[in-house]
Amino acid sequence: MRRWSSVRRAGGALLTVLACVLVWFALLAPDRASDLTPAAFARLPLEAIVLVAVLPLLPPRARRVAAVLVGLVLGLLTVLKLLDMAFFETLDRPFDTVVDWGYLGPLTGLVVDSVGRAAGVGVLASVGLLVLVLLVATPLAVLRLTRLVVRHRRASRRAVGGFGLAWVLCAALGLSVVTAAPVASTSASTYALGEVDRIPAEIRDQHAFTRATAQDPLAAVPAARLLTGLRGKDVLFVFVESYGRVAVQGSTFSPAVDAVLDAGTRRLSAQGFGARSAFLTSPTYGGISWLAHSTLQSGLWVDSQQRYAELMTSTRPTLSSTFRRAGWRTVSDVPANTRPWPQGRSFYGYDRLYDARNVGYAGPRFGYPTMPDQYTLDAFHRLELARHPRRPVMAEIDLVTSHAPWSRTPRLVDPRTVGDGSVFDGMPEQAPSKSVIWRSRQRVRAAYGLSVRYSLNALISFVQTYGDRHLVLVFLGDHQPATIVSGERAGHDVPVTVVAQDPAVLARISGWNWQPGLRPHPDAPVWRMDAFRDRFLTAFGPAGARSDPGRPH
């Protein structure tokens, strides 16, 4: 019996320690993983002092109810902070409690597609279990600590007085353990109030966005006045996955990417192509590429899944629907898609949708990318540009080789040998796997740089092989790569380039003051991505030669 009693006391003490740790974490945890250091927890939370002072004063039943409610709030705040950490690491912004729940479905699919069904289900189940544990364990922890405080009222009162005085002195002296982390902490209550305060502003913002989707002067412009400066041209908008500013400046891998772009400028120039480059500020970061695609196409700032869902049910004109109205055949080529995409027709107005299932690819899969970019471009030429007779084509093409996790990057092959893609057999096995690459940040960054160089070389080769005076190419990034590659607070800028052999096309955008060549320099103009649609349509409309270049954002 004595031994069992000792075990029970030891177990009870351990549970009490774990309860203290859990509550302390909930009160002091930061919302960024980079701030998750021991120093962040070497502080005095005012909320803990207040709870120890107030809870024992309540009647027993009210005290238990209050303890459980406080625990639920702390558990929820912990879940939100963990979501913030994940969003800062991947999207460079905090989780938005109003609009970001819509990401759960798409992110679930993305996880499964990236790591496989079995591993993806395991990851998602683990996340769900963690949330459940926090929402159950935190109330139990607060309830346990409340009972401890009640059993030791006198010691608790002395602790409240001592720690309260220490908190006041630390606050008065402005003491900090680390920058922006004062010893006298109110971080939990400040965080909670901030989450609540954002809700009305987010609701007003969503209403304003809804109005904007229905108020577009472009809808009233006659078709004959649209895109007159591009008549007879094939116009391709090509998104290079994760191609951000970090790829072309300020990183260990940017010199190699810059070398590809500079060599590409010379190669295309030798064939009579000119190019102009700048930067666009993307509404997303690290992923959720469809927000960037819809922003460029619609001329609206689509920075959340809620806005995206709202836009998809609207009649807002897009670049693709405008080209279609002006007489072009419109095409979407998204090799990452493996299932139907009804919005491609209902919202974007594409005449033809290509994806992983209908471009004749018979080669191996390269991890997340269903096929190499070189095949995507070659198949697009075979299925669309090589057809005769035909109308001019406008297309959005997504190149996905440079999609995370940046493993299994293929090699370029002779364009004449691409065929049905079987030429790529064996390549994935010869390239490093995700498990090898993700052992260190340096390997991840190097693999990212390699994948971007591949995608850009594939695109340059495509223009060299199939480009002519009728081709106009706009290629750009959708977003910066995740923080593991971009680093903290890297911004949302992505390179954008217009390529054409016809000098009249580049003359139309001379007022933009974009820089010559495929590579934008650090001082190149920067626009928000939602500004592109209207400036592009203005430049290539009837008054294009007198188009307003707009102000860089």
Side-chain angles (χ1 to χ4, degrees):
M1 289 295 292
R2 289 182 179 179
R3 170 181 273 182
W4 177 243
S5 179
S6 298
V7 170
R8 287 186 62 186
R9 284 198 299 270
L14 178 60
L15 286 176
T16 300
V17 170
L18 292 175
C20 287
V21 170
L22 181 57
V23 172
W24 202 257
F25 182 89
L27 290 170
L28 292 174
D31 58 1
R32 286 179 179 266
S34 59
D35 296 332
L36 197 62
T37 63
F41 300 96
R43 298 184 291 151
L44 287 176
L46 178 62
E47 299 86 357
I49 298 171
V50 171
L51 288 173
V52 173
V54 172
L55 286 178
L57 302 178
L58 300 176
R61 185 172 182 179
R63 184 167 59 238
R64 288 192 296 271
V65 172
V68 170
L69 291 177
V70 168
L72 282 173
V73 170
L74 290 180
L76 180 59
L77 290 182
T78 304
V79 170
L80 292 177
K81 287 179 181 180
L82 293 175
L83 286 170
D84 281 347
M85 291 181 197
F87 269 60
F88 272 122
E89 285 297 305
T90 55
L91 302 179
D92 194 36
R93 65 172 179 82
F95 178 80
D96 192 308
T97 54
V98 176
V99 302
D100 283 344
W101 300 107
Y103 283 126
L104 295 180
L107 286 177
T108 297
L110 184 61
V111 169
V112 171
D113 288 343
S114 297
V115 301
R117 183 168 184 81
V121 170
V123 169
L124 295 170
S126 299
V127 171
L129 180 61
L130 175 61
V131 171
L132 181 62
V133 166
L134 287 172
L135 294 179
V136 172
T138 311
L140 292 176
V142 174
L143 193 59
R144 184 178 188 84
L145 295 177
T146 300
R147 292 174 183 148
L148 181 67
V149 167
V150 170
R151 285 200 305 270
H152 303 279
R153 290 178 183 270
R154 183 175 296 179
S156 298
R157 286 196 293 269
R158 287 199 296 266
V160 167
F163 284 115
L165 179 60
W167 190 94
V168 171
L169 290 174
C170 290
L173 295 173
L175 297 182
S176 295
V177 180
V178 293
T179 304
V183 173
S185 169
T186 58
S187 63
S189 54
T190 300
Y191 180 85
L193 289 173
E195 291 295 306
V196 173
D197 284 345
R198 284 197 306 178
I199 293 175
E202 289 289 351
I203 293 173
R204 290 194 300 270
D205 183 67
Q206 186 61 29
H207 289 161
F209 182 80
T210 301
R211 290 192 298 271
T213 62
Q215 300 171 356
D216 189 356
L218 177 61
V221 178
R225 294 179 58 81
L226 295 171
L227 298 160
T228 55
L230 291 172
R231 299 291 180 180
K233 305 293 186 185
D234 295 315
V235 185
L236 311 183
F237 294 88
V238 179
F239 279 96
V240 179
E241 173 67 38
S242 301
Y243 176 43
R245 183 187 279 265
V246 69
V248 298
Q249 66 182 67
S251 63
T252 56
F253 45 82
S254 57
V257 175
D258 291 345
V260 168
L261 293 170
D262 291 342
T265 298
R266 294 189 295 270
R267 287 156 56 190
L268 295 183
S269 179
Q271 292 187 213
F273 286 93
R276 299 291 183 271
S277 296
F279 291 102
L280 299 177
T281 301
S282 174
T284 186
Y285 173 101
I288 322 298
S289 304
W290 52 89
L291 302 186
H293 301 178
S294 56
T295 293
L296 187 88
Q297 286 255 16
S298 70
L300 294 176
W301 191 247
V302 188
D303 61 348
S304 70
Q305 186 66 19
Q306 182 172 331
R307 283 192 168 196
Y308 178 80
E310 176 84 20
L311 181 64
M312 290 301 107
T313 61
S314 75
T315 57
R316 173 84 177 184
T318 61
L319 286 173
S320 51
S321 65
T322 301
F323 270 93
R324 186 185 190 192
R325 192 154 67 93
W328 271 260
R329 172 176 166 82
T330 55
V331 176
S332 167
D333 194 343
V334 187
N337 276 3
T338 57
R339 55 183 67 94
W341 181 43
Q343 295 88 348
R345 295 191 188 277
S346 64
F347 175 70
Y348 286 104
Y350 289 119
D351 294 307
R352 186 72 165 100
L353 303 175
Y354 294 111
D355 58 30
R357 303 166 300 168
N358 61 1
V359 292
Y361 183 62
R365 184 162 182 158
F366 287 76
Y368 175 84
T370 54
M371 64 191 70
D373 293 341
Q374 188 177 18
Y375 183 87
T376 297
L377 293 166
D378 186 84
F380 173 79
H381 174 265
R382 169 171 47 83
L383 294 168
E384 289 294 331
L385 301 185
R387 296 172 53 196
H388 293 288
R390 63 174 177 83
R391 289 180 289 158
V393 172
M394 174 273 173
E396 180 189 317
I397 305 173
D398 299 344
L399 302 184
V400 296
T401 292
S402 51
H403 192 288
W406 308 298
S407 61
R408 309 294 193 194
T409 298
R411 301 185 306 275
L412 287 179
V413 300
D414 187 323
R416 295 169 296 182
T417 67
V418 171
D420 65 358
S422 57
V423 68
F424 300 107
D425 285 342
M427 279 194 193
E429 293 77 12
Q430 298 169 18
S433 66
K434 177 185 175 182
S435 60
V436 171
I437 288 171
W438 284 73
R439 290 174 185 171
S440 73
R441 179 177 180 179
Q442 290 73 21
R443 290 186 182 182
V444 174
R445 290 165 63 86
Y448 164 80
L450 175 64
S451 68
V452 170
R453 297 201 305 273
Y454 167 84
S455 294
L456 293 173
N457 271 320
L459 187 56
I460 292 165
S461 174
F462 169 80
V463 177
Q464 280 189 289
T465 304
Y466 299 120
D468 58 23
R469 192 175 177 84
H470 300 293
L471 176 67
V472 176
L473 169 67
V474 180
F475 75 90
L476 68 156
D478 46 9
H479 52 71
Q480 290 260 56
T483 302
I484 190 173
V485 173
S486 295
E488 293 285 337
R489 299 172 177 85
H492 288 216
D493 293 349
V494 299
V496 59
T497 299
V498 177
V499 179
Q501 197 177 72
D502 185 348
V505 172
L506 298 182
R508 287 265 184 162
I509 64 171
S510 60
W512 293 359
N513 297 318
W514 287 15
Q515 296 174 338
L518 301 182
R519 175 167 65 96
H521 295 270
D523 60 346
V526 182
W527 300 350
R528 278 202 352 172
M529 194 174 282
D530 57 344
F532 181 85
R533 189 203 70 163
D534 289 351
R535 291 177 180 179
F536 183 87
L537 295 176
T538 299
F540 292 103
R546 302 184 300 278
S547 64
D548 177 11
R551 292 172 294 178
H553 182 272

